[in-house]
Amino acid sequence: MSIEDEISLFDDKEFYTNDETKFKLETTSEDGDLIKSKERVQHHGEVFTPKWMVEKMLAEPSIQEKIHDLHATFLEPSAGEGAFLKEILHQKLNYVDQISNKSNWKDNALWALMSIYAIELLRDNLVKARSAMLEIFVNHYQAFTQSKLSNKTDLFKSVKFVIETNIVQGNTLTYLNDEGKIIEFSDWQPSDGNKVLRSSFTYKSLFNNGDIDDVNANEGQLSLFDELDNEEESYSPTIITKVYKQE
């Protein structure tokens, strides 16, 4: 199966469980092998982080404080298959489940999702990381609402759009993706109640690299758990559950 086939399946996939009357919240799955091949280790330095280590790192009080803040951002510069992304999203949505009711769960959950960013060099890993995040979101929605999330709904389309916008392919050393374009993200800020204001910024702008040609360059170095600053307005405010229409 080609990566294009995998992406097509990801695009068309509709999530459900065999139990039609009861949706259950599941923990994030255990990761597989930490090494796929010696060649990938040699060529890309690819060694995955085990789940127990991810959980231990995220258990730090300062990190837990940010997990319990819907708008505190996380950036994973080498995502792999999404070990950190899955657990961060799972824990953030656990918090959303605790503070939300059926009327505001969707908005709160989307804000939590919008706060998570990542870059991954290898496209097969990127596909798996995105798919895993989508599955975790759907699992939380279905367990909380006890109803199925159709892939035809505004919420599903917006979740998928945010994941594809925030979790991107690229090389963190060159600041470029495979197409030779500079890695770019979207910043999401609350605007007028349940609307979101989207603006763009580059990954390179997070570093004090002295590049006078990078108009978005900030002073200071990037922290994995730093908050991202809004750089420039590029889109009109949009109802958060319909943000996919900005595609």
Side-chain angles (χ1 to χ4, degrees):
M1 179 183 293
S2 67
I3 292 176
E4 287 76 12
D5 292 335
E6 289 188 65
I7 293 176
S8 176
L9 289 174
F10 169 69
D11 287 344
D12 298 337
K13 188 174 183 181
E14 187 167 0
F15 292 86
Y16 60 90
T17 69
N18 293 327
D19 187 342
E20 296 181 356
T21 61
K22 186 71 173 178
F23 295 98
K24 298 179 181 179
L25 183 62
E26 301 175 358
T27 59
T28 54
S29 60
E30 292 289 343
D31 299 312
D33 296 334
L34 300 183
I35 296 175
K36 286 186 175 181
S37 70
K38 291 182 179 179
E39 290 76 15
R40 287 172 73 112
V41 174
Q42 292 172 348
H43 294 161
H44 306 293
E46 181 187 70
V47 179
F48 297 127
T49 308
K51 184 179 179 182
W52 68 265
M53 186 177 293
V54 171
E55 291 176 340
K56 185 173 182 178
M57 293 175 68
L58 296 181
E60 290 294 322
S62 60
I63 305 306
Q64 284 296 304
E65 182 180 352
K66 290 186 178 292
I67 284 176
H68 294 160
D69 179 346
L70 297 182
H71 301 285
T73 53
F74 289 76
L75 172 59
E76 171 57 89
S78 182
E81 293 182 352
F84 278 98
L85 304 180
K86 292 186 293 182
E87 190 61 30
I88 291 170
L89 179 59
H90 182 57
Q91 292 190 24
K92 277 213 165 194
L93 291 180
N94 276 341
Y95 176 65
V96 169
D97 293 344
Q98 295 169 20
I99 66 170
S100 305
N101 53 46
K102 288 190 177 181
S103 65
N104 63 9
W105 189 94
K106 293 179 183 179
D107 289 2
N108 288 341
L110 279 170
W111 284 123
L113 179 65
M114 286 173 170
S115 74
I116 302 172
Y117 297 83
I119 301 168
E120 170 52 30
L121 177 65
L122 303 177
R123 288 196 173 272
D124 59 338
N125 288 342
L126 180 69
V127 169
K128 291 182 179 179
R130 285 175 168 177
S131 182
M133 292 184 72
L134 180 58
E135 189 165 8
I136 287 170
F137 191 101
V138 172
N139 178 231
H140 273 267
Y141 171 86
Q142 294 183 160
F144 186 86
T145 65
Q146 287 302 297
S147 60
K148 183 178 177 180
L149 180 58
S150 168
N151 60 9
K152 296 179 174 60
T153 61
D154 286 337
L155 177 61
F156 185 97
K157 293 175 182 178
S158 289
V159 170
K160 178 174 168 290
F161 174 70
V162 171
I163 290 173
E164 292 177 344
T165 303
N166 281 21
I167 315 302
V168 301
Q169 190 280 328
N171 186 325
T172 58
L173 299 180
T174 65
Y175 307 108
L176 303 175
N177 60 26
D178 279 351
E179 298 176 350
K181 297 178 181 179
I182 193 163
I183 298 169
E184 188 172 298
F185 288 115
S186 287
D187 183 30
W188 318 90
Q189 295 293 329
S191 174
D192 299 327
N194 66 339
K195 291 185 178 181
V196 57
L197 180 62
R198 179 185 175 200
S199 59
S200 62
F201 66 96
T202 66
Y203 174 65
K204 191 175 183 181
S205 71
L206 299 174
F207 297 86
N208 181 19
N209 50 31
D211 187 350
I212 61 175
D213 295 326
D214 189 353
V215 295
N216 290 332
N218 293 327
E219 292 185 0
Q221 293 186 341
L222 175 69
S223 166
L224 177 61
F225 303 105
D226 265 352
E227 295 188 14
L228 303 173
D229 292 328
N230 185 26
E231 296 299 337
E232 60 182 46
E233 183 175 344
S234 301
Y235 303 87
S236 299
T238 305
I239 295 174
I240 190 169
T241 52
K242 296 185 178 182
V243 71
Y244 71 93
K245 293 187 175 182
Q246 294 186 341
E247 189 171 7

